[in-house]
DNA sequence: GCCAACACGTGACCC
DNA sequence: TGGGTCACGTGTTGG
């Protein structure tokens, strides 16, 4: 009986050896050692591949969203790929790697004939400042003066702009649209229009 | 002596058990069995992941070759495809179609323990504001408050930043470098980024 | 008392 | 001859 048990155990061991490549020695102990090393190797490889996959996957996401509607994200891809120029702020709008901006409050009020005051409060995440600047620049409103204050996670923007023949409501709409566009860049065109 | 051999073998076996999750029984034979199953599982997973990676990779390749490798036709194709390309002042930093920013004056002075005042004056061209914002954000200095005033072609930036363990000279250098980097995009890809 | 799993000592075999 | 490995039979423990 003991003979049978040993046989089974040996069979298992041979089976183990059969699934492990790079067998150095038929040595019983070496078989197990090789198996251990192999497992560790596989586990590390798994980690690496997993990381790579998720990376490529996120890249793919960008693509997919752009492919149907065309390639805006290719820009990011290119920029990111070239990179090696320091981690620079991932540049412009819509980049999925930078968090969406969260607008807490948006007020637009007329001040005089052609000037109005825009007041935006939002949570300060990475690149928020850039995005807001892009928004203003993309709308190419004439910015007379702007004030940015970041306090404890919030970013307060106050700017005096000059517009011709536009109501405050209209401006507000535009700004809202531009910001929304930034977060979900469904339309590559407007996103490209900076 | 034989005792020692057996001990070593057992140690190997326990080591094997330690690298294998999902151990059902401490049973010697079961350890090997579980190890075998685990290895097979890992191997299959490896195949799957490898396939997935190569798939994603090929997708990436497409993009890279079509863009990173200077494929003008593709660029044109893209532009034409999306037609109505919008007059857009092109995207963010380093874009050749937006004029370089011209810094007229740059002053950095320490205000207190960790805060300093950065004062930048430059000609206001298109996208200047964005670029400046990117510069600050890329240096990720903590911006306490910032004031932007544009008057007759000039753009006055004054910001209070918080730094730790950096002299004003150092900060100034950094800012200058970042701006220079912005103007002379060393990477050819950025030239292609519309 | 049976079965299973284990550790142990021993003889056989091979560089 | 000795260091290394192996298979075998046996004693012991625990379910």
């Amino acid at each position: 009986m003991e003979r049978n048990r040993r046989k089974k155990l040996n069979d298992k061991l041979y089976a183990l050896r059969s699934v492990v490549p790079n067998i150095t020695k038929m040595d019983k102990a070496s078989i197990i050692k090789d198996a251990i090393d192999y497992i560790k190797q596989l586990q590390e490889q798994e980690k690496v591949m997993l990381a790579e996959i998720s990376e490529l996957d996120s890249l793919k996401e960008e693509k997919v969203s752009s492919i149907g509607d065309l390639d805006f994200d290719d820009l990011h891809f290119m920029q990111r790929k070239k990179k090696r120029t320091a981690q620079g702020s991932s540049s412009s709008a819509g980049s999925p790697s930078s968090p969406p901006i969260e607008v807490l409050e948006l007020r637009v009020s007329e001040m005089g004939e052609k000037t109005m005051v825009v007041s935006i409060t939002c949570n300060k995440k990475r690149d928020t400042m850039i995005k807001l600047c892009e928004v203003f620049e993309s709308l190419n409103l004439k910015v007379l003066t702007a004030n940015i204050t970041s306090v404890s996670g919030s970013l307060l923007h106050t700017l005096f702009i000059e517009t011709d023949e536009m109501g405050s409501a209209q401006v507000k709409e535009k700004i809202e649209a531009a910001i929304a566009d930034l977060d979900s860049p469904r339309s590559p065109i407007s996103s490209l229009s900076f």
Side-chain angles (χ1 to χ4, degrees), chain A:
Chain A
M1 287 211 147
E2 172 70 5
R3 288 181 66 161
N4 203 308
R5 172 186 162 270
R6 272 198 300 268
K7 186 180 185 310
K8 280 196 171 185
L9 207 152
N10 274 340
D11 288 348
K12 299 281 185 188
L13 229 147
Y14 290 150
L16 177 62
R17 185 203 54 171
S18 69
V19 295
V20 176
N22 302 332
I23 331 107
T24 58
K25 294 176 182 178
M26 292 294 241
D27 201 353
K28 230 167 183 176
S30 301
I31 291 177
I32 302 183
K33 187 176 184 299
D34 289 341
I36 295 177
D37 294 341
Y38 183 56
I39 287 184
K40 287 186 178 176
Q41 172 190 338
L42 281 188
Q43 286 174 337
E44 277 201 24
Q45 192 180 2
E46 183 197 10
K47 279 187 188 175
V48 173
M49 285 173 122
L50 222 55
E52 191 166 351
I53 278 190
S54 71
E55 185 184 346
L56 289 180
D57 224 358
S58 70
L59 240 49
K60 192 191 81 181
E61 293 279 340
E62 296 176 29
K63 307 278 189 92
V64 167
S65 67
S66 64
I67 266 182
D69 217 283
L70 275 298
D71 57 62
F72 169 60
D73 284 4
D74 283 331
L75 292 179
H76 293 299
F77 184 67
M78 288 154 54
Q79 286 177 343
R80 177 168 325 170
K81 187 84 205 297
K82 99 195 173 184
K83 188 167 209 168
R84 80 177 183 260
T85 47
Q87 45 73 262
S89 66
S90 101
S91 129
S92 88
S95 175
S97 65
S98 76
I101 75 181
E102 306 168 7
V103 177
L104 300 179
E105 190 186 5
L106 169 59
R107 284 187 301 114
V108 178
S109 48
E110 311 188 27
M111 273 289 283
E113 184 68 25
K114 293 173 150 197
T115 75
M116 46 186 59
V117 181
V118 178
S119 183
I120 298 185
T121 309
C122 52
N123 285 335
K124 181 168 182 13
K125 303 279 181 74
R126 211 212 324 273
D127 294 339
T128 299
M129 223 166 83
I130 294 182
K131 291 178 180 176
L132 285 178
C133 281
E134 285 181 347
V135 166
F136 294 133
E137 200 113 17
S138 75
L139 296 175
N140 62 351
L141 307 166
K142 248 176 233 150
V143 176
L144 301 178
T145 177
N147 191 288
I148 306 166
T149 306
S150 83
V151 13
S152 66
S154 283
L155 200 61
L156 313 175
H157 260 253
T158 306
L159 44 164
F160 287 68
I161 60 175
E162 187 180 301
T163 65
D164 28 21
E165 321 181 37
M166 254 204 295
S168 57
Q170 228 172 327
V171 173
K172 188 174 178 179
E173 267 180 37
K174 280 204 172 193
I175 294 176
E176 281 172 342
I179 291 178
D181 233 37
L182 225 52
D183 285 343
S184 61
R186 60 185 69 264
S187 159
I189 294 154
S190 66
S191 304
L192 277 174
S193 70
F194 328 89

